[in-house]
């Protein structure tokens, strides 16, 4: 396990939507360091310690159902960001809203729809 983190920012939806999305990522990244908890927040964040090589998801289709569209931004190493994007695309209906790359970090934005 490296000390690199994958940061997941969730914009839109309720707390249960946020928890559903985080649960989908746990199969690849393990339990997050923090969980979205604020009932009244409109933007929520979860962070995962990102392994050097993320695990394959055991059942990527087991994401769950969202109540509304949620914009998800994932940021971390290129490998972690791509693994997160693949996992979310396998678990939910998604639209890729773009990516940005730096020297050692990547960011990708997805829209997850119910």
């Amino acid at each position: 396990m490296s000390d690199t983190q994958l940061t997941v920012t969730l914009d839109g939806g309720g707390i249960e939507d946020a928890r559903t999305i985080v649960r989908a990522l746990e199969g690849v990244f393990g339990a997050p360091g923090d969980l979205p908890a604020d009932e009244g927040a409109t933007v929520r964040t979860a962070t995962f310690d990102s392994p050097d090589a993320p695990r394959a998801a055991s059942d990527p289709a087991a994401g769950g159902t969202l109540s509304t569209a949620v914009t998800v931004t994932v940021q971390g190493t290129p490998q972690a960001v791509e693994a997160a994007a693949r996992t979310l695309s396998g678990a939910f209906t998604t639209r890729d809203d773009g990516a940005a790359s730096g020297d050692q970090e990547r960011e990708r934005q997805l829209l997850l729809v119910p």
Side-chain angles (χ1 to χ4, degrees):
M1 196 74 106
S2 75
D3 59 3
T4 305
Q5 289 188 336
L6 176 74
T7 302
V8 181
T9 305
L10 309 156
D11 185 4
I15 190 69
E16 287 307 314
D17 294 319
R19 290 177 180 159
T20 297
I21 294 165
V22 167
R23 280 193 298 270
L25 293 169
E26 286 179 338
V28 176
F29 296 98
D34 60 345
L35 287 169
D38 187 354
E39 295 283 341
T42 57
V43 175
R44 296 174 174 88
T45 304
T47 57
F48 295 87
D49 287 331
S50 177
D52 292 327
R55 309 186 283 262
S58 55
D59 184 5
T65 304
L66 301 175
S67 67
T68 190
V70 179
T71 299
V72 178
T73 303
V74 290
Q75 182 179 21
T77 64
Q79 298 87 352
V81 168
E82 288 309 309
R86 274 193 312 275
T87 301
L88 294 173
S89 293
F92 304 98
T93 301
T94 61
R95 181 181 80 200
D96 193 338
D97 279 352
S101 295
D103 286 344
Q104 298 179 19
E105 203 168 72
R106 183 145 194 224
E107 180 176 293
R108 190 155 174 195
Q109 190 170 65
L110 301 167
L111 178 67
L112 280 54
V113 295

